Structures are given as structure tokens and as C-alpha cells.
Amino acid sequence: MIQFYYARPSLFARPVWFALLEKGLPFDPVVVDLAKGAQFEPEFIALNPFGHIPVLVDQEFRVIESQAILDYLEAKYPEPVLLPSDPESLARVRMVQMVAIHELLPGIGGLLVHHKTPDEVTYSQARITTVLRFLEDLLGDRPICGGGIYHGRSRGGNFNSRFAPGRDFLSILSRS
């Protein structure tokens, strides 16, 4: 059975969890308690020498890094298909994934750090705003997940309202 090592607050583990569920794969979820430093225990370091989650172990094969895990699951368990096959749609999926990982998450992290200067807050707000606008332009009316379950403006609202109804993140971020 697949073992999936994750931590509840991890945004990197969530896409893997969703993929496992969408593909209907049986798996054993293994919580890694980051608050207690479980990611630095020898048993976990043996799975991932960098001490990061998520980690997936499928029989004897171990995969680290969420994007590698998602690619592995899609290739090894092709049904149901979670990624588009045409080049432009696949590129859009990868852009959303990479921008979320490399731009959005650091921006959000910048707002969550306790000892931040006003310049750091402004930078994080600008970074998040740029990401949300980019994603809004990139996605338009295209489905963003679930084979069309969630649509763009055609389902009432912009990028922000599709993920968090009742919240307008761009206006929140523009506050000083």
C-alpha cells in the first residue's frame, strides 16, 4: 500500500492528497508532526534527507517533492487522468503550479512572519497581488480543477471568489 507522509498545515502536501483521492488509490496517511521536529528524526531523514514533506512510498519506491510525486502518480496510475494532454493546457497547469509554489506561497509566508518591516509587508502584498492578477489573466473562463467543476468568471466571480467566496483578497492586500 502507498504510504503518504504529510503535515496538516502543508500546502505542498495538499495537491498530492487530492491526487490520491481523485485517483481512488488506497494509501496510508502518515502525519509528520513538524511542531515536534519529527521531520528531523532519523527515521524520517532516511526517507527524505532534506527533512521536507511530502514523501510518498509506493512499495519500495520513494518519491520526494510534491511535483515529482504528482508526476509519478499520473504516470504510474493513469486513470483517471488528472493532467491535460494538449501542450497549451499542460503548460497552463504547470505555470499555475510553479507560480503558486515560487511566488504565492513566499508572498503569503512574508505576511505571516511576525517580525516584519512595513517594506516587507508592502513587498509581500505586491507579490501576492501580482500572482492573483496573473492567474486571473491566465485562467480566464477556463476550468481550474476537477474537469470543469470550478470555472472562472462564468461561475460568478474572479479568481479570489472562486477559492474563497466572500473574500476579496486584492482589496484586503491593498489596505495599509
Side-chain angles (χ1 to χ4, degrees), residues 122-164:
T122 300
Y123 175 75
S124 291
Q125 289 172 330
R127 192 172 191 178
I128 294 168
T129 300
T130 300
V131 168
L132 294 177
R133 287 191 177 132
F134 171 79
L135 294 175
E136 181 97 2
D137 291 342
L138 178 69
L139 297 173
D141 289 331
R142 291 178 185 86
I144 56 174
C145 68
I149 293 172
Y150 301 107
H151 281 350
R153 296 176 190 96
S154 64
R155 290 281 177 108
N158 59 22
F159 181 84
N160 300 312
S161 65
R162 286 179 277 169
F163 285 103

Side-chain angles (χ1 to χ4, degrees), residues 56 70 165 169:
L56 184 128
L70 292 170
F169 289 112

Side-chain angles (χ1 to χ4, degrees), residues 94-132:
R94 293 296 189 227
M95 283 191 284
V96 168
Q97 290 172 325
M98 295 293 99
V99 167
I101 289 169
H102 298 294
E103 301 296 334
L104 183 60
L105 290 180
I108 292 169
L111 292 178
L112 298 176
V113 174
H114 295 296
H115 303 289
K116 53 192 173 263
T117 67
D119 286 343
E120 291 169 326
V121 170
T122 300
Y123 175 75
S124 291
Q125 289 172 330
R127 192 172 191 178
I128 294 168
T129 300
T130 300
V131 168
L132 294 177

Side-chain angles (χ1 to χ4, degrees), residues 2 10 13 23 31 91-92 127 129 136 138 153 170 175:
I2 294 172
S10 171
K23 289 189 170 287
V31 176
R92 278 188 198 92
R127 192 172 191 178
T129 300
E136 181 97 2
L138 178 69
R153 296 176 190 96
L170 291 178
R175 296 180 195 158

